């Protein structure tokens, strides 16, 4: 949820507010990602037992890898759209 909220915040925020909100948005994403890795092992053992922790941990890590890949692809699409709006080639020049 945090990644979607962060992407939407950065995409739809007015251009003059981006420098002020960029660091808190990136910090929130980093906190959510790090908290997930900190909580995940104990959650897996509590939910599925210690006999299955290796398999479930790897399935969960694979799901995270897929979500990071999708988020990167979506963010890249936003970047490409902003660069196309500026008409300056393939690079977004910012504000």
């Amino acid at each position: 949820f945090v990644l979607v909220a962060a992407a939407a915040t950065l995409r739809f925020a007015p251009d003059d507010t981006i420098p002020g909100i960029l660091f808190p948005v990136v910090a929130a994403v980093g906190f959510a990602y790090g908290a997930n890795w900190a909580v995940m092992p104990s959650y897996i053992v509590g939910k599925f037992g210690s006999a299955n922790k290796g398999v479930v941990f790897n399935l969960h890590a694979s799901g995270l890898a897929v979500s990071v890949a999708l988020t990167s692809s979506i963010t890249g699409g936003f970047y490409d759209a902003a660069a196309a709006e500026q008409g300056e080639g393939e690079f977004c020049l910012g504000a």
Side-chain angles (χ1 to χ4, degrees):
F1 174 74
V2 173
L3 294 175
V4 173
T9 299
L10 291 176
R11 173 66 176 140
F12 299 113
D15 289 340
D16 58 337
T17 62
I18 295 293
I21 64 171
L22 185 61
F23 181 75
V25 167
V26 170
V29 169
F31 180 78
Y33 188 74
N36 183 54
W37 285 105
V39 172
M40 181 177 47
S42 61
Y43 173 77
I44 287 172
V45 170
K47 183 78 172 175
F48 301 104
S50 60
N52 298 321
K53 68 181 170 191
V55 172
V56 177
F57 181 87
N58 287 323
L59 288 173
H60 186 78
S62 298
L64 284 174
V66 169
S67 69
V68 167
L70 288 174
T71 302
S72 298
S73 177
I74 292 169
T75 304
F78 287 153
Y79 183 90
D80 291 342
E85 286 176 10
Q86 291 178 353
E88 298 290 330
E90 61 185 44
F91 297 106
C92 183
L93 302 175

